[in-house]
Amino acid sequence: MNDIWISVNNDAGIKELMEAYCGFHDSCITGISYTSGSYVDDNKSMIGCMDACGHKLVLTLNSQWKDPLALLFEGVMKFNVVGYEENYFCEILGAYLSFCTDLTGKTRDDKLIVWSNNECFKPESYSEEKIISANGKNSTYIVAQKLSWRFMKPEE
């Protein structure tokens, strides 16, 4: 297993990841794991995670061209997962990956990273038609403060 995570800190890091994984072309999501950092202790007290980076999501993908990939999002602000859709296949033809600074309001300048399985995704104007879309218009997406990635061995 490759334990070395590569951080995406700027546009050059985005370009490196997109090139390393062929723009996510001919890939698919194989797993998602989310942890909030919150828990209930032995005294049954609720311990809430006050650190944004405690909210983590690991997205694993397989590709027809590359070894499996793991994306580690930290400081997860929001995510949406589209599962089964009738008459639609789970193949990713191209992904969206960009830094955005205007998602938390006009008076803030938070630099967030956004990934989507839809290369035409527009986070500033995205809205879902319905909770369940009959026409494949909903996208899987993740909005977070940090992103790191690593290739995995095929058997991981």
Side-chain angles (χ1 to χ4, degrees):
M1 173 165 102
N2 177 5
D3 289 329
I4 299 172
W5 291 91
I6 301 167
S7 295
V8 177
N9 300 315
N10 51 37
D11 290 337
I14 288 175
K15 183 178 179 184
E16 178 185 4
L17 171 55
M18 294 297 278
E19 287 177 359
Y21 213 60
C22 303
F24 293 82
H25 181 74
D26 288 339
S27 66
C28 63
I29 297 169
T30 58
I32 298 173
S33 174
Y34 173 76
T35 55
S36 68
S38 298
Y39 62 96
V40 174
D41 69 11
D42 293 339
N43 296 320
K44 302 298 182 201
S45 296
M46 182 69 65
I47 308 299
C49 180
M50 302 304 286
D51 178 10
C53 285
H55 294 265
K56 297 179 181 181
L57 186 146
V58 177
L59 182 72
T60 54
L61 300 110
N62 281 359
S63 168
Q64 292 179 308
W65 306 103
K66 298 285 185 169
D67 284 342
L69 180 75
L71 300 178
L72 169 61
F73 294 89
E74 297 178 86
V76 175
M77 306 292 286
K78 185 171 184 175
F79 65 95
N80 182 63
V81 178
V82 176
Y84 169 75
E85 289 185 285
E86 194 171 303
N87 299 318
Y88 289 90
F89 190 62
C90 63
E91 179 181 15
I92 298 172
L93 300 176
Y96 173 91
L97 183 60
S98 183
F99 287 105
C100 297
T101 57
D102 56 354
L103 298 179
T104 56
K106 294 183 184 213
T107 60
R108 296 187 52 168
D109 192 29
D110 296 327
K111 182 179 173 184
L112 300 172
I113 191 145
V114 179
W115 179 90
S116 175
N117 66 343
N118 175 355
E119 64 189 333
C120 297
F121 188 76
K122 293 182 174 37
E124 66 281 353
S125 62
Y126 179 78
S127 65
E128 296 178 350
E129 294 179 2
K130 297 179 181 180
I131 289 178
I132 303 295
S133 173
N135 59 11
K137 296 279 185 180
N138 292 345
S139 295
T140 292
Y141 62 87
I142 303 159
V143 180
Q145 294 174 344
K146 297 179 183 179
L147 171 61
S148 301
W149 62 277
R150 69 178 178 86
F151 282 109
M152 302 163 45
K153 292 189 171 129
E155 60 275 0
E156 282 186 72

